[in-house]
């Protein structure tokens, strides 16, 4: 059961909540560093015909992650000073497992890009090592079915369309559940898997002004974000959308500007309502109602409490900033183990302006739950509900 005293302490001083680390053997963060990252190195190695230099660097990174300590970027790296300032000076020379999980995980991806020569100079400069995985998601029968479902959805009332598209964006590559949601009678499995639902608050924040949409994954998860954006622009729910993506490949499937174009081409090549949405989005990009934005902070190993001034001003001026996905949620909450009953408004009180999160649960961090919901989930599933991706939340505050 939740500890009321701990919840009160966290509410009074959110920085009292412990930062997530990877040192506990068998924990979710430990599993990511010890098992997922080595497996990913193998997949990246096989995805391209990298030469001996890149293969040697990948092997070295694999060994370093398992047995070594965190090392600085190579001296020529343009962002070496940035990573030094982001915590490197404190963390170099220490085990990957002893550092804050957010920092270790983020730095791993930066080192992976270094290993494959992404930042050059050389023939592999600018080649996204995760691109084959992203493109494969766009060219599947499931993707075809999800886009075809838009034809039926387009015949529903506008309010039901918005509800379905919002849930489609929430569930990502399970978007077909969202398209069916609006037409289902009574409750649905998708609804029952929501551990928190501030959908009404979020929809009230679509006030005809600017939406800052901070994207998460590419491929089949980015397409529902674009479809939601099209709906909001088309029906005047927002006047302008700024789509924030990563400036370079990150966390396997995180969306970059190139991924936005791939998803947009997938839409414009489709038939029916999906193709029409793609053409409207193309026009919105051309006339400035939809803007793609990148910023170095998007790949920083830091919580959103450390937002730089330019992003702080941008988010403050928006009607709402909508953060997609698990990593953005972790950064929003500080990647700290707050009691789950800590109010979302308390955990995000620092954020400049109205903020909302659409997130499937894939890590330990969560706030904004009632004690009843938390107790029921713990009793039914133990700890698995936090990390399995089978539950989701919509949270918002003005």
């Amino acid at each position: 059961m939740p500890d009321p005293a701990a919840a009160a302490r966290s509410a009074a001083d959110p920085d009292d909540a412990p930062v997530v680390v990877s040192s506990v053997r068998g924990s979710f963060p430990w599993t990511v560093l010890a098992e997922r990252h080595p497996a990913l190195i193998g997949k990246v190695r096989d995805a391209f015909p990298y030469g001996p230099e890149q293969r040697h660097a990948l092997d070295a990174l694999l060994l370093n992650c398992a047995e070594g300590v965190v090392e600085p970027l190579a001296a020529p790296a343009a962002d070496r000073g940035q990573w030094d300032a982001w915590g490197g000076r404190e963390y170099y020379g220490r085990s990957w497992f002893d550092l804050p999980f957010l920092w270790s995980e983020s730095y791993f991806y930066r080192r992976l890009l270094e290993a494959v020569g992404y930042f050059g100079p050389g023939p592999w400069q600018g080649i996204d090592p995760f691109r084959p995985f992203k493109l494969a998601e766009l060219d599947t029968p499931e993707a075809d079915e999800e886009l075809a479902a838009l034809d039926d959805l387009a015949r529903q009332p506008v309010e039901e369309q918005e509800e379905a598209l919002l849930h489609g964006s929430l569930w990502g590559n399970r978007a077909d559940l969202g398209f069916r949601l609006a037409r289902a009678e009574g409750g649905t499995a998708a609804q029952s898997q929501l551990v928190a639902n501030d959908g009404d608050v979020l929809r009230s924040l679509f006030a005809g002004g600017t939406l800052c949409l901070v994207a998460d994954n590419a491929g089949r998860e980015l397409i529902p974000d674009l479809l939601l954006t099209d709906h909001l622009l088309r029906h005047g729910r927002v006047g302008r959308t700024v789509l924030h993506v990563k400036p370079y490949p990150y966390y396997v499937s995180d969306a970059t500007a190139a991924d936005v174009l791939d998803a947009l081409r997938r839409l414009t090549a489709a038939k029916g309502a999906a193709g029409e949405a793609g053409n409207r989005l193309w026009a919105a990009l051309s006339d400035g109602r939809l803007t793609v934005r990148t910023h170095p902070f998007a790949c920083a190993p830091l919580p959103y409490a450390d937002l730089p001034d330019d992003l702080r001003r941008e988010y403050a001026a928006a009607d709402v900033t909508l953060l997609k996905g698990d990593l953005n949620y972790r950064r929003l909450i500080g990647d700290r183990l707050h009691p789950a009953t800590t109010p979302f408004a308390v955990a995000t009180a620092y954020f400049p302006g109205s903020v909302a999160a659409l997130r499937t649960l894939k890590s330990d961090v969560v706030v904004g739950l009632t004690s009843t919901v938390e107790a029921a989930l713990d009793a039914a599933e133990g700890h698995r509900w936090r990390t399995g991706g089978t539950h989701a939340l919509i949270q918002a505050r003005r």
Side-chain angles (χ1 to χ4, degrees):
M1 294 294 292
D3 178 356
R9 288 194 300 272
S10 178
D13 185 0
D15 289 340
D16 282 349
V19 173
V20 177
V21 295
S22 309
S23 54
V24 179
R25 190 176 185 87
S27 67
F28 177 77
W30 182 90
T31 300
V32 170
L33 266 62
E35 299 177 4
R36 292 190 183 184
H37 286 179
L40 177 60
I41 291 175
K43 290 180 179 179
V44 168
R45 182 188 175 98
D46 294 339
F48 287 101
Y50 289 119
E53 180 181 351
Q54 290 75 35
R55 291 178 177 276
H56 174 75
L58 288 170
D59 292 342
L61 178 60
L62 179 63
L63 181 63
N64 177 256
C65 289
E67 303 176 10
V69 297
V70 174
E71 301 173 353
L73 296 173
D79 57 346
R80 163 74 181 267
Q82 185 69 80
W83 279 94
D84 289 349
W86 282 342
R89 294 189 185 94
E90 178 183 354
Y91 298 142
Y92 298 147
R94 296 170 60 180
S95 166
W96 291 82
F97 293 87
D98 292 339
L99 307 183
F101 179 43
L102 178 62
W103 204 96
S104 291
E105 197 175 13
S106 298
Y107 195 60
F108 166 79
Y109 283 100
R110 176 58 184 85
R111 288 293 308 276
L112 181 61
L113 292 181
E114 182 181 54
V116 299
Y118 179 84
F119 292 104
W124 295 104
Q125 185 176 24
I127 302 298
D128 183 348
F130 313 127
R131 184 171 173 80
F133 316 137
K134 296 173 178 177
L135 290 179
E137 283 199 0
L138 291 175
D139 188 21
T140 63
E142 291 82 5
D144 292 336
E145 293 171 5
E146 289 163 5
L147 295 181
L150 287 171
D151 292 337
D152 187 27
L153 184 65
R155 292 189 283 269
Q156 307 303 315
V158 172
E159 293 79 8
E160 292 186 11
Q161 292 181 39
E162 184 167 305
E163 174 78 1
L165 291 169
L166 184 63
H167 281 261
S169 181
L170 168 64
W171 287 106
N173 61 11
R174 296 172 65 187
D176 54 323
L177 289 177
F179 294 147
R180 291 199 300 267
L181 178 66
R183 301 189 304 278
E185 295 181 2
T188 69
Q191 287 173 315
S192 68
Q193 291 165 333
L194 287 176
V195 300
N197 186 0
D198 295 337
D200 289 343
V201 176
L202 173 56
R203 285 187 291 274
S204 74
L205 296 173
F206 298 143
T210 298
L211 164 67
C212 286
L213 176 56
V214 185
D216 183 33
N217 291 336
R220 284 174 59 207
E221 297 193 32
L222 181 59
I223 282 181
D225 298 341
L226 292 173
L227 293 173
L228 176 63
T229 296
D230 169 61
H231 171 91
L232 296 175
L233 288 170
R234 182 185 183 192
H235 296 285
R237 302 283 282 137
V238 301
R240 177 172 176 259
T241 296
V242 182
L243 180 63
H244 289 250
V245 296
K246 301 297 189 295
Y248 52 79
Y250 194 60
Y251 276 61
V252 186
S253 56
D254 282 26
T256 65
D259 299 319
V260 173
L261 295 179
D262 285 337
L264 188 57
R265 290 191 184 98
R266 179 69 173 88
L267 283 172
T268 56
K271 298 179 180 179
E276 294 169 3
N279 290 328
R280 287 192 297 266
L281 287 164
W282 191 284
L285 277 168
S286 299
D287 65 28
R289 288 175 296 126
L290 173 59
T291 304
V292 178
R293 172 93 153 91
T294 63
H295 193 286
F297 187 77
C299 294
L302 303 174
Y304 280 112
D306 296 333
L307 279 170
D309 290 342
D310 57 340
L311 281 180
R312 186 174 293 275
R313 290 191 295 269
E314 186 171 338
Y315 293 153
D319 282 355
V320 59
T321 298
L322 177 57
L323 302 166
K324 283 292 309 297
D326 198 75
L327 175 59
N328 281 321
Y329 190 88
R330 287 168 54 195
R331 296 182 72 189
L332 180 65
I333 306 303
D335 215 31
R336 291 177 177 270
L337 296 175
H338 296 277
T341 52
T342 303
F344 180 74
V346 170
T348 62
Y350 71 88
F351 196 87
S354 298
V355 64
L358 297 181
R359 176 225 185 183
T360 53
L361 277 62
K362 299 177 182 177
S363 64
D364 295 305
V365 176
V366 66
V367 299
L369 274 59
T370 67
S371 57
T372 301
V373 167
E374 182 189 18
L377 290 167
D378 285 341
E381 303 181 38
H383 197 76
R384 293 188 304 275
W385 64 269
R386 290 175 176 257
T387 59
T390 56
H391 295 278
L393 56 79
I394 303 173
Q395 291 178 324
R397 71 146 177 83
R398 300 183 183 280

